[in-house]
Amino acid sequence: MELKLLRFETATFADRVRLSLIGELDLSTSPDLIEQLAGVVQGQPTYLDLDLSQLSYADSVGFSVFVTAHFQCRDAGIELRFLNPNLFLKQLLATTGLDQVLTIVSTGALVGA
């Protein structure tokens, strides 16, 4: 049995889709996220939330997927938010300056948010 380093959970609330990332996002797992995002963007939700609360690690390749998703969603008219990154990810986002480009949201209650 192959161990999945990155898993996804999807929840839909009216015109909002929440895609939760669980595990590690790197060179080996980024194609899986790209595929998941393509499917969500194709469905044309008004809002897309990437829940990072269970993402334990992301490298520069993972961050490049975030940037690409940002521009794809913007071009498709989808509002993209990155929810609840852990302290490690927050620091990396700040160090790279991506916290100034991407919409990063920390919130406790996510249901219907």
Side-chain angles (χ1 to χ4, degrees):
M1 181 169 83
E2 181 182 331
L3 177 64
K4 293 289 259 178
L5 295 177
L6 184 63
R7 294 182 301 113
F8 305 98
E9 290 180 0
T10 305
T12 303
F13 308 95
D15 58 353
R16 181 180 303 275
V17 173
R18 182 175 346 131
L19 180 62
S20 299
L21 310 183
I22 305 161
E24 300 178 4
L25 179 59
D26 59 17
L27 178 63
S28 68
T29 59
S30 61
D32 297 333
L33 177 55
I34 292 168
E35 184 179 319
Q36 288 288 320
L37 288 169
V40 172
V41 169
Q42 189 174 31
Q44 288 288 310
T46 303
Y47 306 98
L48 171 57
D49 293 334
L50 287 185
D51 181 1
L52 308 180
S53 63
Q54 297 179 73
L55 186 65
S56 59
Y57 175 80
D59 67 4
S60 60
V61 175
F63 279 10
S64 71
V65 175
F66 290 167
V67 172
T68 300
H70 165 77
F71 288 112
Q72 287 176 334
C73 286
R74 185 194 67 188
D75 293 347
I78 300 169
E79 184 178 323
L80 175 63
R81 302 186 308 172
F82 295 83
L83 304 180
N84 301 316
N86 63 32
L87 182 58
F88 170 74
L89 294 175
K90 277 185 189 177
Q91 290 173 334
L92 285 177
L93 289 164
T95 299
T96 59
L98 289 176
D99 63 338
Q100 302 300 307
V101 176
L102 307 176
T103 303
I104 312 294
V105 178
S106 294
T107 180
L110 292 177
V111 176

